[in-house]
Amino acid sequence: CNVYLRAAPSNRNCPGGHHLMEAKLVEPEEMELHTQCDACSGGIEPGRVTFTCSMCDFDICQRCREIPTPDMVQKARASLQRLVQHGLSSGGALRTHLAVISSPGNLSEQQSSLGYRTRSGSGDRESCLPLTGALHDCLNVQKAFQSGGARLPNQTIMSKTFPRGQPKSISEKEVVLEKITEATILRSLRFQLMVEDLDVYVLYYSGHGQEGSGTWLVTEDESISFQELLELSRSYAVPFGKLLVVIADSCHAGALCEAHKQAFHQEEDRQAAANLIVFAATQPDLDAGESKDGGDFTLWLLTQLDV
């Protein structure tokens, strides 16, 4: 069929102006035609990720997806300058979207053996149940960013498998309980980064962190690592000229900062690292603290957001 050109094809859009969707090529015996990158004319091997529009039969490879156009580079730089000038609570100076993620309330023996650590109280707070303040964190951060002009979902989605102390003031209209997986979380983040008209995407996490890596525990047996956060920046922040700001109130969160610094030393990761900013609650080798009102780092963060 004929394709009528409505937009110049790029690493974000096909000739028809549609957003390119991430897909993985099937094995050779399942492929009817050889897939070629429409940007560099190179072949895309089976099993590799491609960004595609099936309506217009348009594909680009991962490498071409990662090359930002000059206007998107300038957009990200301008957003960074405004972010430094106005801060996260920009009062409308930046188009900001907020997403929040939390953790299961209690660690199993298996999770502990994998190096995951829970935030804990000290002194008179030692009797505090693990992560009872996590939901407070999420809702308070949402309120703070909304006051600063950020856009955010109308409801907080929580896993129905994770019992924890909930503030009595929370209504069913504010919290939806459903089954959550790592795949659904990442799919939602990718989609929002791609389609939302914004400058800064803030991803806030309150939960368990893994010793040595700072990896987040997002379901009973699934996690989100720094590498996955970097891939979000590479494939969805960089092409659209957006900044991905990660805030981690979790144990060993400083390991994410260390990995971020190392990414700048790798040529293939440098651009993705440049569009990524990481705020961490602790040094790489330390646990995070909390009280029933929330994580210590988040309670401090809220004072800095002037709400």
Side-chain angles (χ1 to χ4, degrees):
C1 63
N2 294 324
V3 175
Y4 296 94
L5 187 66
R6 298 200 304 270
S10 70
N11 59 349
R12 305 181 303 279
N13 304 97
C14 70
H18 309 121
H19 286 307
L20 300 176
M21 305 302 293
E22 183 175 344
K24 183 174 287 189
L25 293 184
V26 296
E27 293 302 317
E29 60 269 17
E30 302 176 44
M31 296 176 64
E32 296 180 2
L33 298 172
H34 177 70
T35 302
Q36 186 179 56
C37 175
D38 289 302
C40 68
S41 299
I44 305 176
E45 298 176 2
R48 295 283 188 176
V49 169
T50 180
F51 292 85
T52 183
C53 174
S54 57
M55 295 176 61
C56 300
D57 191 23
F58 184 86
D59 296 90
I60 64 170
C61 64
Q62 177 81 47
R63 183 178 295 276
C64 289
R65 172 73 168 192
E66 297 168 11
I67 303 173
T69 56
D71 58 323
M72 292 298 102
V73 173
Q74 181 57 38
K75 177 187 174 185
R77 287 176 178 171
S79 296
L80 181 58
Q81 290 174 353
R82 291 198 298 273
L83 183 64
V84 172
Q85 181 180 357
H86 298 283
L88 286 171
S89 185
S90 64
L94 287 164
R95 295 170 299 173
T96 304
H97 188 98
L98 172 74
V100 297
I101 302 175
S102 189
S103 251
N106 297 304
L107 284 173
S108 66
E109 290 186 8
Q110 180 181 3
Q111 292 160 350
S112 297
S113 69
L114 293 174
Y116 287 101
R117 300 291 177 262
T118 188
R119 299 186 321 197
S120 59
S122 60
D124 59 355
R125 302 183 302 173
E126 289 182 351
S127 60
C128 177
L129 293 174
L131 287 189
T132 53
L135 186 54
H136 279 289
D137 285 341
C138 293
L139 297 178
N140 287 337
V141 167
Q142 285 181 327
K143 178 181 176 182
F145 274 88
Q146 192 169 36
S147 298
R151 287 177 291 177
L152 59 152
N154 294 326
Q155 296 171 312
T156 299
I157 301 175
M158 290 182 59
S159 173
K160 60 186 178 182
T161 63
F162 299 152
R164 75 189 70 191
Q166 297 185 7
K168 295 181 179 180
S169 60
I170 295 176
S171 68
E172 292 183 358
K173 294 182 179 180
E174 291 178 290
V175 176
V176 178
L177 300 179
E178 63 179 46
K179 182 175 177 58
I180 295 175
T181 66
E182 176 205 15
T184 57
I185 292 172
L186 291 175
R187 189 181 305 121
S188 175
L189 297 178
R190 293 182 189 118
F191 182 78
Q192 290 170 358
L193 273 165
M194 181 172 62
V195 304
E196 291 286 349
D197 184 20
L198 53 90
D199 301 310
V200 177
Y201 190 94
V202 179
L203 177 56
Y204 169 84
Y205 173 74
S206 174
H208 305 302
Q210 187 178 40
E211 188 174 0
S213 68
T215 293
W216 301 344
L217 185 68
V218 295
T219 74
E220 291 174 306
D221 55 5
E222 295 177 310
S223 60
I224 293 178
S225 66
F226 172 78
Q227 194 58 42
E228 287 167 307
L229 297 175
L230 190 67
E231 289 304 317
L232 280 176
S233 178
R234 188 194 317 277
S235 298
Y236 292 91
V238 171
F240 294 90
K242 298 171 182 177
L243 295 181
L244 175 59
V245 177
V246 171
I247 304 174
D249 191 351
S250 52
C251 298
H252 306 283
L256 300 174
C257 295
E258 292 298 320
H260 185 213
K261 288 191 290 186
Q262 290 300 317
F264 280 98
H265 298 294
Q266 304 296 323
E267 183 177 356
E268 65 273 19
D269 293 335
R270 194 168 297 140
Q271 186 62 58
N275 284 58
L276 176 65
I277 300 172
V278 181
F279 294 93
T282 69
Q283 296 295 322
D285 57 344
L286 295 178
D287 291 344
E290 74 164 19
S291 69
K292 64 180 181 180
D293 296 321
D296 294 347
F297 174 73
T298 297
L299 292 173
W300 169 83
L301 177 66
L302 293 171
T303 67
Q304 304 305 302
L305 294 174
D306 298 324
V307 296

